[in-house]
Amino acid sequence: MKNEKRILGKWFAAALLLLVAACSKSGDQAAEEAAQEAPRHILYGIDATDYRLDQGEVQSGETLGKILNHYGVSAVEIDRLDREAAQVWPLRNIRAGHRYTAFIHEDSLHTPHLDFLAYERNTSQYVVFGFHRCAEGRDSVSITLGEKEFTLKRQKRSAVIESSLWQAMVDGNMPYSLAAEVEDIYQWTISFFSVQKGDSFTVIYDEKLIDTVSVGIGRIWGVKFSHYGKEYYAIPFRQNKRVEYWEADGQSLRKQMLKAPLKYSRISSKFSYSRLHPVHKVRRPHTGVDYAAPKGTPVVAVADGVVTFKGWGGGGGNTLKIKHAGGYTTGYLHLNGFAKGIHQGSHVSQGQLIGYVGSTGTSTGPHLDYRVWKGKNPIDPLKIPQEPSEPIKAENLDAFEYVKAKVMAELDGEVSESERLSLRDTVAFDAAQPIVPDFSAEEAVENE
């Protein structure tokens, strides 16, 4: 997909040149000339060399129609553009504070004409509005969505946790999205609600840069997380046509159950047979874990299963129960509401949205009361024995050891660029595949 976007970006300028040139020349002639002329200064996919560029910022209350009218675009053309854009990117979507660039050329009488206006939707995405005028009266407009090309910079970052994974990454000037990705990788293995001061991590990842601005992250090449004195590695490896993350011993990091059914919260009450009830002020069993979180926080199923109860659970408020393999049942109490399509008898998948945090029933504030039963016996959700998914296959062990050695060497020390794990090493790994596939990284991306 990334490769397709890159190819489309390279040909976008030529396509626009053809559209303009077709007003005065035959399609074949225009195509031949456009192909022979090498692009010089490409901006938003347009060869901007011979244009006068006028850059501005959308002001509060300003419409695209007003901006276009300023550049001489008629009301008829603006109406045509509005109708054409409705199914691609409606003109009403423009927002104050976003930048735009007008591409202006002058005719033989030195009269300025607007050919294109590029509007920046966000840091990386843009939309180009084109106005193509023909002497024969066959004027037309175009709307093209585009994305700026980014470069990838390999990063290796380490930090010691003082309060939370999120805060450690913020303090270390790492991309916000990196915390979510690391949590996703370890969501079956580490409970990030119970990380302690002194836990640490090292992560290798690709940072996406447009010019010098960070716009997100790409592939994570490996992680080492030290939690309660134990080291948990995350090794990327392709098996069964999927790149997943594996422990150093070849066991999958993916387990039967997620460690928790929600993110970005804190444990406000743990499993106990003698907890002082916050409302009734008496000691009674609380055979679950309370996760304090804002109202509306998404709640997901911790494992594949079937919904056995959806409804009002008395003091538990809106309650959902799901039966899973191995005799386990999970309960989700005090929900504000249920996800669309969830009903008794529904089959749900691990990680599927099932509801939202609320404060229904007997509750002092928004939280999720999460419970687990083995048969009819309640068990502590924080101490569920985790069964891993399928490990590395015997026929893939040599290839996995090759990948693991490269990842661990980079995590634990400094290596040269040639010694790093690359797409050649990971993308085509599977049974009966050579360790180093005979195709380029570009082809590797395309084959994902």
Side-chain angles (χ1 to χ4, degrees):
M1 185 65 181
K2 293 178 183 175
N3 199 36
E4 291 175 0
K5 287 182 179 179
R6 201 172 291 120
I7 293 171
L8 287 173
K10 292 178 180 177
W11 288 103
F12 179 40
L16 290 174
L17 286 172
L18 284 174
L19 186 56
V20 175
C23 292
S24 57
K25 303 174 184 178
S26 71
D28 291 342
Q29 181 184 358
E32 183 178 348
E33 292 182 5
Q36 291 174 353
E37 183 180 352
R40 291 162 287 176
H41 172 47
I42 304 300
L43 186 63
Y44 301 108
I46 303 167
D47 185 351
T49 308
D50 298 326
Y51 281 105
R52 173 167 63 86
L53 302 180
D54 187 13
Q55 296 181 320
E57 186 176 290
V58 180
Q59 301 302 307
S60 178
E62 194 171 32
T63 65
L64 186 61
K66 183 177 180 180
I67 295 171
L68 294 174
N69 185 256
H70 171 75
Y71 290 108
V73 180
S74 70
V76 172
E77 287 179 295
I78 294 172
D79 180 65
R80 180 185 299 157
L81 182 70
D82 187 42
R83 285 184 277 110
E84 292 283 342
Q87 301 302 317
V88 181
W89 195 84
L91 305 189
R92 64 177 180 274
N93 286 348
I94 74 161
R95 296 290 182 268
H98 289 234
R99 298 190 62 79
Y100 62 84
T101 300
F103 292 73
I104 302 166
H105 84 273
E106 293 185 353
D107 60 20
S108 57
L109 299 177
H110 302 290
T111 303
H113 296 280
L114 179 71
D115 278 358
F116 304 102
L117 188 134
Y119 167 83
E120 295 194 354
R121 300 165 57 192
N122 50 46
T123 307
S124 60
Q125 296 175 311
Y126 59 85
V127 56
V128 174
F129 305 104
F131 304 90
H132 318 290
R133 301 171 180 83
C134 304
E136 296 82 357
R138 293 180 286 106
D139 295 0
S140 62
V141 296
S142 63
I143 304 94
T144 307
L145 300 180
E147 190 165 346
K148 297 179 183 178
E149 288 195 10
F150 57 81
T151 58
L152 294 176
K153 183 178 180 181
R154 184 92 153 218
Q155 300 279 22
K156 175 183 171 182
R157 307 296 291 275
S158 299
V160 176
I161 294 174
E162 294 294 327
S163 57
S164 68
L165 173 67
W166 184 269
Q167 193 60 50
M169 290 193 173
V170 170
D171 293 342
N173 294 317
M174 301 177 217
Y176 296 146
S177 55
L178 187 60
E181 293 291 335
V182 171
E183 283 195 0
D184 282 346
I185 289 172
Y186 286 109
Q187 61 185 311
W188 298 274
T189 307
I190 296 174
S191 173
F192 286 94
F193 306 107
S194 60
V195 293
Q196 63 175 356
K197 184 176 181 179
D199 286 353
S200 62
F201 64 89
T202 298
V203 57
I204 305 165
Y205 64 98
D206 285 334
E207 186 169 15
K208 294 181 180 179
L209 299 171
I210 294 179
D211 297 326
T212 58
V213 179
S214 177
V215 294
I217 65 172
R219 188 180 299 267
I220 292 183
W221 294 98
V223 190
K224 179 173 71 173
F225 203 103
S226 297
H227 180 51
Y228 282 90
K230 182 179 178 180
E231 291 184 343
Y232 297 86
Y233 283 88
I235 312 295
F237 186 79
R238 186 180 182 90
Q239 180 166 276
N240 298 330
K241 300 183 179 180
R242 290 180 60 184
V243 175
E244 296 183 3
Y245 291 89
W246 310 78
E247 297 182 26
D249 61 0
Q251 296 294 321
S252 174
L253 282 174
R254 185 182 294 272
K255 302 296 193 295
Q256 180 186 352
M257 286 189 176
L258 300 179
K259 276 291 187 178
L262 73 173
K263 297 180 181 179
Y264 314 123
S265 62
R266 63 181 177 83
I267 292 177
S268 56
S269 181
K270 294 185 178 182
F271 186 98
S272 172
Y273 281 102
S274 180
R275 184 191 71 156
L276 181 64
H277 195 282
V279 176
H280 301 298
K281 306 301 181 182
V282 295
R283 291 198 171 274
R284 58 170 61 174
H286 179 256
T287 53
V289 172
D290 286 349
Y291 292 97
K295 180 180 177 181
T297 298
V299 177
V300 301
V302 297
D304 295 350
V306 177
V307 176
T308 57
F309 179 83
K310 172 193 172 183
W312 188 258
N318 290 328
T319 298
L320 201 66
K321 291 185 179 180
I322 302 175
K323 186 175 182 179
H324 311 280
Y328 289 101
T329 298
T330 55
Y332 311 80
L333 286 63
H334 305 299
L335 296 172
N336 185 61
F338 305 99
K340 184 177 180 180
I342 297 296
H343 53 80
Q344 189 165 326
S346 294
H347 289 263
V348 296
S349 302
Q350 186 179 70
Q352 180 180 335
L353 177 67
I354 56 174
Y356 306 90
V357 169
S359 187
T360 56
T362 306
S363 170
T364 58
H367 73 285
L368 174 72
D369 185 346
Y370 170 55
R371 306 198 174 200
V372 182
W373 297 267
K374 175 75 170 181
K376 294 183 179 181
N377 300 316
I379 60 176
D380 188 344
L382 300 180
K383 298 178 181 179
I384 300 174
Q386 291 283 59
E387 294 298 325
S389 299
E390 180 186 38
I392 296 294
K393 297 176 181 177
E395 59 266 36
N396 288 335
L397 283 175
D398 288 344
F400 175 73
E401 289 297 325
Y402 173 85
V403 169
K404 182 178 78 172
K406 283 200 165 190
V407 172
M408 295 181 76
E410 189 171 358
L411 284 169
D412 295 335
E414 297 299 324
V415 297
S416 67
E417 187 172 347
S418 62
E419 295 173 315
R420 293 173 173 173
L421 191 68
S422 69
L423 286 173
R424 286 176 175 268
D425 300 323
T426 60
V427 171
F429 273 159
D430 213 332
Q433 293 276 1
I435 285 182
V436 183
D438 188 20
F439 51 76
S440 69
E442 288 288 327
E443 292 170 325
V445 173
E446 188 174 7
N447 286 329
E448 281 192 271

